[in-house]
Each structure stands twice: as structure tokens, then as C-alpha cells.
Amino acid sequence: MALGLSLSGCKSWLDGFQSTLSVDGPVARSQRQLFYTTCYVTFAIFLVVGGVLAYATIRFKDRGHTGAEPPPQSHGNPLVEIGLILASVLLLVIIAVPTLRAIWFAYDVPIGEKGQAYEVVATGSQWWWKFEYPNAPVKLAPTGEMPLATANELVIPAGRPVHIELRTADVIHSFWVPKLAGKVDMIPNRANHIWLQADQPGYFYGQCAQFCGDSHAVMRFRVIALEEKEFAGWLAKQTQPARSVAAPAVSAPAITRSHVVFAVFRQNQFGFGPEWESDGPTPLLDLWRAQQPPDKDEDPALIARGRALFQAKTCVSCHTVRGQEGVGIIGPDLTHVGARTTIAGGLLENTPEQLARWIGHPEQVKPGNKMYVTGYVPNHVTLDPDEVTALVAYLRSLK
């Protein structure tokens, strides 16, 4: 009864955001089946061994406390010993065959019904993720081009295999999307890969599964699977230069702190803040779609001030904003950052309050991050609340 009550309270854990038992892709399904097979075999061994032990304990217990001599001992029964050896080999084969099958299945990238697997390159850094799309080049002035690059949110076509080349910019990381596929390490100077597939459109959670420094535990990312048509539309929009908001002809009004409410930083196990926690049963994919259009109440004057600060505060030296200022490659590409649902390496939801927190005090949100250690500190970057407000408005406009 106690076990039943305990399991009934674990439903949200068993099918939670990063459950390996409630899966949505063929690779994760294969690995789950292997896990079940191993559990069945080991549970059967437990029952047999435990049953024999219980029988021997009860059957040969000295109930009279007479201190009688033990029965005659013998070397053993060859038939029993050979039988146990053969049974052990059989059980190992039962586990080994599906294990090898699952390893090959996870390694060999299939050709889906819609042709070759879609190609993506994922690069892990301390502590964020860069995703590049080799088949979606973007134009660079005057005549060059480079693969489309996004950060912390991997958007893929649903129902189609996705082949992901795994790289690291520094130390060992590990790519893991529990509902879609198992863990694969990203090792310096060594090529590695993984493939995954989302059965249906959805919003999935991933994270680094290999200790990689101070903020390893908050190195997260999202995988957004879309129907082919919606994915093609997203891809076409992402390859466009950054959105520009025309500054007003009149001088900008003085900035006040009322533009951004500085919320107290808080997060639960999955890094959500107040807005995401209050949405109840709203599908997370719908929340991602709602993030794509520009904010209705955006302030052009405030955005213009933020764009000027983006240059003045040396943000352009680390970040890229295609079509505007900024050609840095150290930090994430911010060309369409306003359309993402997360910031700070997938840790925070992309709301004005959390964005203000991240810009104003990155060292408190994610200790040891490079934006603070190699950006703010050596360049003596300081931001007052009014400047943070303007930068938030500018970054939110990049959709």
C-alpha cells in the first residue's frame, strides 16, 4: 500500500518535462525499451535469488536453539553449477542483443520518408548552446555568407530525422534531450554526432549532462519541433537580417524605470518564472508561437536608445546582429533574440523582467559566465536601471 501511494505521487515525475519514460521519438523509444528489458531480466534474477534465499533461511532455520551441528557439507552439484552458468549466459544474451541493436540504431542516421536527415551543427560552450543550419546560409556584406546560427533553442522539422553534429568550444559537454534521445558527449578535437526525431510538433527540454564548470547545472536548451510548412516559414524568417524599428523624428523622452518592472529573481526546478508558471495547461509550443510577433506596446524612442547603448557598451564586440551593428562571435547570435522563449542559456524565460535581470546582473544569474567575466569586468561595463530598460526594449524588438 505504501509503494502504491508513493508511485501515485510520482506521475508528474515519470512523465515530466525531462522524463525518459514518457518519450516522443524513435531513438528515445528504443532506449526506453532497452531499459525495460534490462529491468525485467534483473527483476527476474532478484525474484529467483531472493526466493531461494528466503526458502533457505526459513527451511533450515534452527528453531530449537539447540546448537545442533550443521548437516554434512559437499563440494557441490555439477548439474546445478553448469545450469547456473548456462542460465547466466542466456540472461546476458537476452540483455546484450537488444543493447547492441539499440546502439546501432542510435548511431546509424536513417533516411526518413521525406529524404535525407536534416543537418544541424550543435556547439556547446560555457554555458550556452550554438545551433547552426548548414543548409540555410545567410548573406553577409558585401558578398559573403555563413550558416544560419541561433542560440539555446533548436528548431527542427517534426516527423523527420535530424542529424546533429556535436562540437565543443571549450571543455567536455554532453547533449541530452531526454524525450527524444539519450546522452552523447561533445569532446574537444573529436567529432561526434547524434540523431533524433520528434514524432509530432512539440516543445522539448534539453540540458548538458556532463559537468563542465561552475554553472553546468544551468546549461539548458530547448528543442522546438514544427510541421514542415511552419518550419520552412521559421527558417525563411531567421535568415533575414535583424528587424529595425524606425526611431521617431522628435527627440526621445527621458527614460524612466517604470518601463521595466524589476522582478525578484526566482526559478523552480525547470527555470520558469512567474509568467510561465501561471499559464496552466497552455501548450508550451503555443507559448513559443506567441513569442514570435513584435510587442504591441514597443517604444521606438526607447528602442533607438537601446540600440545606441548596444554599441556604446561594447556588446557588439561579442554578439552578432545581422543587418545592424555587431559582428562578434564569442557570444550568442542576437539577430532574432526577441523571438526566443528563453535567455541565459535556456535558464530564464524571455520576458522583460528576466531579460533585465540577466543584463543587469549576469553574475548572479549564472556565476562564471563569459559575458560577465570576459565582457563586463575587463571593459568596466556598468549599467544603471535606465540603460538596462533601453537595452531590454531593443533586444525585445529583434524578432
Side-chain angles (χ1 to χ4, degrees), residues 8 19 30 54 82 88 167 202 227 242 272 286 307 312 322 326 332 336 341 343 368 386 392:
S8 66
S19 171
S30 169
I82 294 175
S88 300
R167 304 289 184 266
E227 292 285 0
F272 301 135
D286 290 343
R307 182 171 175 178
R322 287 183 282 106
H336 299 284
T341 51
I343 54 173
D386 293 345
V392 167

Side-chain angles (χ1 to χ4, degrees), residues 253-260 262 301-315 352 355-361 376 380-396:
I255 299 173
T256 64
R257 299 186 188 184
S258 61
H259 284 96
V260 172
F262 285 83
L302 196 59
I303 291 171
R305 170 75 187 282
R307 182 171 175 178
L309 285 169
F310 192 77
Q311 301 175 61
K313 297 296 182 177
T314 69
C315 307
L355 187 53
R357 173 73 182 192
W358 174 237
I359 295 172
H361 301 283
Y376 283 37
H380 306 289
V381 175
T382 58
L383 295 168
D384 61 41
D386 293 345
E387 292 173 329
V388 171
T389 297
L391 284 170
V392 167
Y394 169 61
L395 295 175
R396 293 279 300 177

Side-chain angles (χ1 to χ4, degrees), residues 263-284:
V264 176
F265 175 66
R266 69 188 183 96
Q267 65 182 66
N268 62 18
Q269 181 182 0
F270 301 103
F272 301 135
E275 291 195 10
W276 285 69
E277 289 177 344
S278 63
D279 279 313
T282 304
L284 293 175

Side-chain angles (χ1 to χ4, degrees), residues 221-232:
F221 65 97
R222 306 289 190 269
V223 176
I224 296 97
L226 305 174
E227 292 285 0
E228 285 280 353
K229 184 176 180 180
E230 187 176 9
F231 174 74

Side-chain angles (χ1 to χ4, degrees), residues 309-375:
L309 285 169
F310 192 77
Q311 301 175 61
K313 297 296 182 177
T314 69
C315 307
V316 293
S317 63
C318 293
H319 296 285
T320 294
V321 181
R322 287 183 282 106
Q324 297 183 15
E325 305 79 12
V327 292
I329 60 173
I330 298 176
D333 187 306
L334 301 180
T335 304
H336 299 284
V337 65
R340 299 171 193 158
T341 51
T342 62
I343 54 173
L347 175 61
L348 307 177
E349 75 279 6
N350 192 4
T351 65
E353 294 78 15
Q354 298 290 18
L355 187 53
R357 173 73 182 192
W358 174 237
I359 295 172
H361 301 283
E363 77 285 1
Q364 295 179 9
V365 177
K366 185 172 285 192
N369 72 86
K370 292 181 179 178
M371 183 168 78
Y372 182 75
V373 174
T374 65

Side-chain angles (χ1 to χ4, degrees), residues 190-247:
R190 177 179 174 181
N192 216 342
H193 79 271
I194 189 175
W195 78 271
L196 50 79
Q197 176 179 317
D199 295 332
Q200 298 176 351
Y203 190 97
F204 307 97
Y205 291 78
Q207 70 178 67
C208 178
Q210 172 67 43
F211 180 73
C212 54
D214 293 347
S215 291
H216 154 70
V218 289
M219 182 177 173
R220 305 171 184 177
F221 65 97
R222 306 289 190 269
V223 176
I224 296 97
L226 305 174
E227 292 285 0
E228 285 280 353
K229 184 176 180 180
E230 187 176 9
F231 174 74
W234 173 87
L235 207 59
K237 183 177 180 180
Q238 290 291 310
T239 55
Q240 298 300 312
R243 173 177 175 263
S244 295
V245 177

Side-chain angles (χ1 to χ4, degrees), residues 30-31 34 96-108 195:
S30 169
Q31 293 167 342
L34 174 59
V97 171
T99 298
L100 293 174
R101 186 185 298 118
I103 291 173
W104 291 328
F105 182 75
Y107 185 82
D108 295 330
W195 78 271

